[in-house]
């Protein structure tokens, strides 16, 4: 096995060691003996240096015309496209998602580059007539300043790109702090920023613990925006810290996503969607299907088919093309999933598939857990209410659409939802009444496209939406209103127009 590479922080255009000189190990979750690389275990001083570099660079970058800023981003997309396979393989090694899904993760970053770079030639503002003669009024999007980007491990290239690319096209400078479980994918993204020649200091990359580096970014007065994706627990802390210095905080957090299967649904389609939604990325997606609410009339048939299909999923080395389910990201995540399975049993739910850690020789070196299906779940059980973030899905019974909607909405979260039905009236009612930021009809809860608004309500989000250009730009710009009075005299709005 090759000696693991040592990766540095990127601050002010230089690859530098952290002042502490400590190291974080990035290990493969499929084989905990394999060290993918070592990363800097940075502290507050490193975050401060990155913030200072970004603040200096921002003064110049904001004045680069947006179409020119966008040219760097188009080139990033081209490089990502060329290296898609290499980066996908490294992603699978570092966080365990099956290789086909890792390719999709890199593809998301490519899509974001092309889509958002196009905004360099738009970044539209508004014009409107003045109420006074010889006066012009318009509003433009202005960059915010230094943005702190804090990202999770489950989409280690896609999510950083959802933040980095719009931040840059809008003229901001950034400090990116990736999740400690998957820093390599965002390292590649930052390396490409350097390769395409984005000026020094505009993009900075600091690895290290959430408390030290993330905490410093959220507290530092020169950081004007935090764009955070992660758990609701940490998001709450980030929000509180941002309030102290009056920062904008864009928070994308946890989910407990429900799929409704009505009695008129095409069950084959619903089972396909359920298997994909519950077990892709081993259930470690914010939009994962974690509750399936099934009409009583089709409950048994649906569960029988679901168990058969999920039981046939291939578990193993996520680099193999045929593997459907890789490992969980780390030991703590595995323990959390096992704890929840025990909680479900204690609550009286019935694990009709899975539920026991895999122990065969080929799984022993990684954090593998099989697809697990609980039936007999009722809405008040903890397994039906709390985010598990693993390959565990709860099946609940409903009497009809109203009951199913009530169960689906009885949650603190509100990211994604879906309904399977052939009845257009039921489909539109559900699309209107499901309390989530995203709803699918006859499709799974996962599968967002990058050019539509992405985010959730309740404890999932605080009102911002990444993705679509118009909503992403709202996160990374301030509106600036300009009045130009060419009347040559003092004119008073609301007073001189009577
Ligand atoms: P997490 O533990 O909340 O960590 C997210 C990021 O925050 C990491 O970079 C982490 O650093 C950092 N962090 C930890 N403590 C911090 C603090 N006190 N101040 C500032 N930053 C801090 O989440 P995760 O385990 O990486 O990701 C899984 C969670 O993300 C799930 O809840 C999932 O639903 C959610 N998620 C949501 C979306 C969405 O769009 N809604 C998308 C993907 C994932 P370290 O890694 O160093 O701890």
């Amino acid at each position: 096995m090759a000696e693991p590479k040592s990766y540095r922080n990127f601050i002010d255009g230089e690859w530098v060691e952290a002042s502490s000189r400590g190291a974080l190990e990035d290990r493969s979750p499929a084989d905990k003996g394999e060290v993918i690389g070592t990363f800097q275990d940075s502290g507050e001083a490193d975050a401060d240096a990155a913030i200072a570099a970004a603040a200096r660079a921002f003064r110049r970058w904001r004045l680069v015309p947006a179409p020119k800023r966008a040219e760097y981003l188009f080139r990033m997309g081209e490089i990502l496209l060329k290296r898609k396979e290499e980066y996908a393989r490294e992603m699978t090694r570092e966080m365990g998602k099956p290789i086909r899904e890792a390719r999709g993760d890199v593809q998301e970053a490519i899509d974001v580059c092309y889509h958002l770079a196009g905004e360099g030639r738009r970044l539209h503002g508004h014009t409107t007539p003045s109420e006074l003669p010889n006066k012009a009024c318009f509003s433009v999007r202005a960059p915010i300043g230094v943005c702190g980007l804090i990202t999770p491990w489950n989409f280690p290239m896609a999510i950083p790109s959802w933040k980095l690319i719009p931040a840059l096209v809008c003229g901001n400078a950034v400090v990116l702090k990736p999740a400690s479980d998957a820093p390599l994918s965002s390292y590649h993204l930052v390396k490409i920023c350097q390769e395409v020649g984005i000026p020094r200091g505009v993009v900075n990359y600091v690895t290290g613990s959430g408390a030290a580096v993330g905490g410093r970014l959220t507290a530092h007065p020169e950081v004007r925006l935090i764009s955070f994706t992660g758990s609701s627990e940490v998001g709450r802390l980030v929000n509180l810290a941002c309030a102290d210095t009056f920062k904008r905080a864009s928070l994308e957090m946890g989910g407990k996503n429900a799929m409704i299967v009505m009695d008129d649904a095409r069950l084959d389609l619903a089972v396909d969607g359920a298997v994909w939604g519950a077990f892709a990325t081993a259930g470690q997606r914010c939009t994962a299907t974690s509750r399936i609410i099934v009409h009583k009339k089709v409950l048994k048939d649906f569960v029988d088919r679901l168990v058969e299909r999920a039981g046939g999923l291939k578990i193993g080395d996520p680099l193999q093309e045929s593997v459907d389910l890789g490992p969980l990201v780390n030991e703590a995540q595995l323990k959390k999933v096992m704890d929840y399975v025990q909680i479900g049993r204690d609550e009286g739910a019935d694990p009709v598939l899975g539920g026991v850690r895999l122990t065969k020789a080929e799984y022993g070196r990684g954090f593998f857990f099989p697809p697990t299906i609980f039936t007999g779940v009722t809405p008040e059980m903890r397994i039906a209410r709390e985010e598990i973030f693993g390959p565990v899905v709860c099946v609940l019974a409903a009497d009809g659409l109203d009951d199913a909607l009530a169960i689906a909405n009885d949650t603190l979260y509100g990211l994604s939802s879906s309904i399977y039905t052939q009845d257009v009236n039921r489909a539109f009612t559900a699309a209107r009444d499901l309390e989530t930021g995203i709803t699918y009809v006859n499709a799974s809860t996962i599968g967002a496209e990058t050019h539509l608004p992405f985010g959730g309500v309740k404890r999932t989000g605080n009102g911002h939406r990444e993705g679509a250009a118009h909503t992403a730009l709202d996160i990374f710009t301030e509106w600036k209103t300009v009045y130009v009075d060419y009347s040559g005299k003092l004119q008073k709005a609301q007073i001189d127009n009577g």
Side-chain angles (χ1 to χ4, degrees), residues 255-258 277-278 287-292 383 386 392-395 445:
K256 190 72 188 173
N257 313 292
T287 51
T289 309
S290 56
R291 296 177 294 153
I292 310 178
I383 56 168
E386 297 172 18
V392 179
V393 69
C394 300
V395 181
T445 58

Side-chain angles (χ1 to χ4, degrees), residues 15-352:
W15 293 97
V16 293
E17 286 183 351
S19 46
S20 68
R21 296 184 184 271
L24 296 173
E25 278 186 345
D26 187 14
R27 284 179 180 268
S28 162
D31 178 351
K32 54 194 175 207
E34 186 188 358
V35 180
I36 309 293
T38 59
F39 288 79
Q40 304 299 311
D41 188 7
S42 314
E44 292 193 354
D46 306 296
D48 283 351
I51 294 164
R56 285 192 300 274
F58 171 65
R59 292 185 210 122
R60 298 182 300 275
W61 182 243
R62 63 186 274 273
L63 300 176
V64 175
K68 292 284 161 206
R69 295 196 295 253
E71 284 173 14
Y72 295 107
L73 309 179
F74 278 121
R75 290 207 292 277
M76 287 181 70
E78 282 159 27
I79 295 178
L80 281 167
L81 193 57
K82 271 196 213 120
R83 300 194 194 138
K84 180 172 168 181
E85 187 59 24
E86 174 194 339
Y87 291 162
R89 294 186 80 76
E90 297 230 312
M91 183 186 299
T92 289
R93 285 177 66 222
E94 83 163 338
M95 56 70 68
K97 68 170 68 176
I99 181 67
R100 285 172 289 155
E101 293 183 37
R103 290 186 191 113
D105 199 308
V106 181
Q107 185 61 46
E108 270 196 51
I110 296 166
D111 296 341
V112 170
C113 285
Y114 290 150
H115 173 48
L116 266 302
E119 287 308 307
R121 287 193 182 267
R122 282 183 290 266
L123 277 185
H124 297 304
H126 304 288
T127 59
T128 183
S130 167
E131 65 185 43
L132 293 164
N134 298 320
K135 191 173 173 190
C137 324
F138 56 94
S139 48
V140 293
R141 289 186 182 276
I144 290 183
V146 177
C147 300
L149 314 180
I150 303 178
T151 56
W153 46 265
N154 64 337
F155 280 85
M157 186 174 277
I159 289 178
S161 78
W162 284 45
K163 301 176 186 303
L164 176 70
I165 305 300
L168 293 179
V169 81
C170 292
N172 301 290
V174 307
V175 180
L176 169 60
K177 184 242 157 318
S180 300
D181 276 308
L184 181 56
S185 296
S186 48
Y187 164 87
H188 290 316
L189 211 50
V190 171
K191 194 89 183 24
I192 297 175
C193 292
Q194 183 190 28
E195 249 177 277
V196 299
I198 292 177
R200 63 186 297 158
V202 173
V203 176
N204 302 275
Y205 164 85
V206 183
T207 54
S209 77
V213 180
R216 187 60 184 149
L217 285 174
T218 55
H220 199 293
E222 269 199 272
V223 176
R224 297 311 313 139
L225 159 83
I226 293 289
S227 176
F228 167 87
T229 301
S231 60
S232 301
E233 295 72 30
V234 174
R236 188 179 151 276
L237 296 177
V238 166
N239 210 13
L240 286 170
C242 287
D244 273 343
T245 43
F246 298 91
K247 289 181 185 39
R248 180 179 296 184
S250 169
L251 309 172
E252 300 284 353
M253 299 167 287
K256 190 72 188 173
N257 313 292
M259 169 185 291
I260 296 175
V261 181
M262 295 305 297
D263 51 342
D264 65 344
R266 269 188 52 194
L267 286 195
D268 55 339
L269 201 61
V271 169
D272 280 348
V275 170
W276 175 232
F279 304 121
T281 326
Q284 301 168 113
R285 290 193 184 206
C286 51
T287 51
T289 309
S290 56
R291 296 177 294 153
I292 310 178
I293 303 163
V294 187
H295 195 292
K296 278 180 178 156
K297 282 189 197 158
V298 292
L299 183 62
K300 183 172 177 331
D301 194 4
F302 176 83
V303 169
D304 288 349
R305 294 187 198 203
L306 180 65
V307 168
E308 191 188 335
R309 279 289 312 285
L313 292 177
K314 184 169 174 196
I315 307 167
D317 176 359
L319 281 169
Q320 281 180 22
E321 294 291 338
S322 57
V323 158
D324 301 299
L325 205 86
L328 295 167
V329 73
N330 58 30
E331 192 140 26
Q333 197 60 31
L334 176 65
K335 181 175 179 317
K336 182 178 171 197
V337 169
M338 292 198 302
D339 287 350
Y340 269 110
V341 168
Q342 190 54 48
I343 289 167
R345 285 200 171 96
D346 294 346
E347 288 177 313
D350 186 16
V352 288

Side-chain angles (χ1 to χ4, degrees), residues 349-366:
D350 186 16
V352 288
L353 182 74
V356 180
R357 186 181 176 178
L358 297 162
T359 51
K360 278 195 206 157
E362 68 260 40
Y363 305 127
R365 294 175 64 81

